[in-house]
Amino acid sequence: PWQVQVASVEVDDAKLHVEDRMQAPVKKFEIAPVRLRVRDASLDLAKPLPVELNARINDHANFTATGTLTPEPLAMQLDVALDGARLSILQPYILPLADLTIRGGLAAVKGRFEMRPPGTPPSEMSFAGDVVLTDFKSTDNALDEDFFNFGRVQVEKLRYDSGPDAVRIDRILVREPYARLIISREGMLNVSAVLAAAGALAGLQARRDQDAARARVTPAERLERERRE
């Protein structure tokens, strides 16, 4: 049988355009430049390949990955690092869930990512490492005021496993937290309006309808109701 072995394959200054169309709106990402190096490649797809990847996401987040990748069955063990990622990149994912706007913040992630063939214990995918978020700022879209900010959140010894999903965290350190809590005239917290906008709006409308119904009751009708009760 044919045998082919390549000592090194290098890709330099590549560019990728990625679109996530799972849910509207479409999320677009540009990954450039991309530098990839694969060593000891061959036709033996079960052989782990040493890989090195360096990339820049949306011209601000630096991503690196080093380790091994096995083509068949697909598996990988990578030491990964993400630095300088602006948290505003998550805004298209946040808005359908919460009515807030991310105004600032940076993320740094460092750890080990592993993917195993289906059915391999203890899980098919896992990540173990640390996450640091700094200078986060957000605003309440309804009030256009500061909602939740912090100087630094440090998540230490984070462990995620899939199948079944499980998350374990050793410690969370929060510095300079700030939150603005507002109770409206209808007795509703702004937190509810931001994190559950649809339900909060429905509840607010129901309260307003009740108040309007009470306002239409005449004093005589009110006395008659109280007598019956």
Side-chain angles (χ1 to χ4, degrees):
W2 285 90
Q3 294 185 11
V4 177
Q5 184 166 346
V6 181
S8 178
V9 177
E10 295 186 18
V11 177
D12 189 35
D13 202 21
K15 179 181 292 186
L16 298 176
H17 291 278
V18 181
E19 293 187 6
D20 180 0
R21 298 187 177 184
M22 293 291 290
Q23 292 181 339
V26 176
K27 294 83 172 174
K28 297 182 180 181
F29 305 91
E30 181 179 277
I31 306 175
V34 177
R35 298 180 179 88
L36 174 65
R37 182 182 183 187
V38 180
R39 292 183 287 114
D40 300 330
S42 70
L43 296 181
D44 183 1
L45 300 183
K47 179 181 177 181
L49 303 175
V51 297
E52 299 176 14
L53 173 67
N54 291 272
R56 191 170 177 84
I57 305 171
N58 285 8
D59 201 31
H60 62 84
N62 297 313
F63 177 77
T64 62
T66 59
T68 60
L69 184 148
T70 304
E72 184 64 37
L74 182 61
M76 61 185 72
Q77 296 83 36
L78 300 172
D79 292 319
V80 298
L82 177 69
D83 186 47
R86 298 173 189 162
L87 291 174
S88 57
I89 198 173
L90 301 176
Q91 183 64 46
Y93 296 94
I94 293 294
L95 196 55
L97 304 176
D99 192 22
L100 63 83
T101 298
I102 299 175
R103 299 296 184 186
L106 297 174
V109 180
K110 188 174 183 179
R112 185 170 181 83
F113 172 78
E114 296 188 4
M115 177 183 290
R116 305 171 186 85
T120 303
S123 63
E124 295 179 9
M125 287 193 302
S126 66
F127 172 82
D130 300 326
V131 178
V132 177
L133 310 177
T134 56
D135 299 326
F136 178 80
K137 297 183 184 300
S138 65
T139 56
D140 178 335
N141 289 340
L143 301 176
D144 195 25
E145 294 182 349
D146 286 349
F147 177 64
F148 179 66
N149 307 330
F150 56 77
R152 182 182 181 90
V153 169
Q154 190 167 328
V155 182
E156 298 180 351
K157 295 183 180 179
L158 167 69
R159 172 79 188 193
Y160 165 77
D161 292 285
S162 68
D165 292 339
V167 176
R168 297 187 298 274
I169 298 173
D170 184 69
R171 187 173 76 151
I172 299 177
L173 174 65
V174 181
R175 294 180 178 173
E176 301 177 28
Y178 168 88
R180 181 188 296 269
L181 298 180
I182 299 175
I183 302 177
S184 69
R185 294 179 180 178
E186 292 84 0
M188 181 170 296
L189 280 172
N190 63 327
V191 176
S192 300
V194 170
L195 301 183
L201 185 61
L204 181 60
Q205 188 59 47
R207 292 186 184 184
R208 289 174 176 172
D209 292 342
Q210 291 176 359
D211 292 342
R214 292 192 191 101
R216 290 193 296 268
V217 176
T218 65
E221 291 173 334
R222 189 177 299 110
L223 289 173
E224 180 63 21
R225 290 182 182 180
E226 292 176 354
R227 185 183 65 79
R228 292 177 180 176
E229 294 174 355

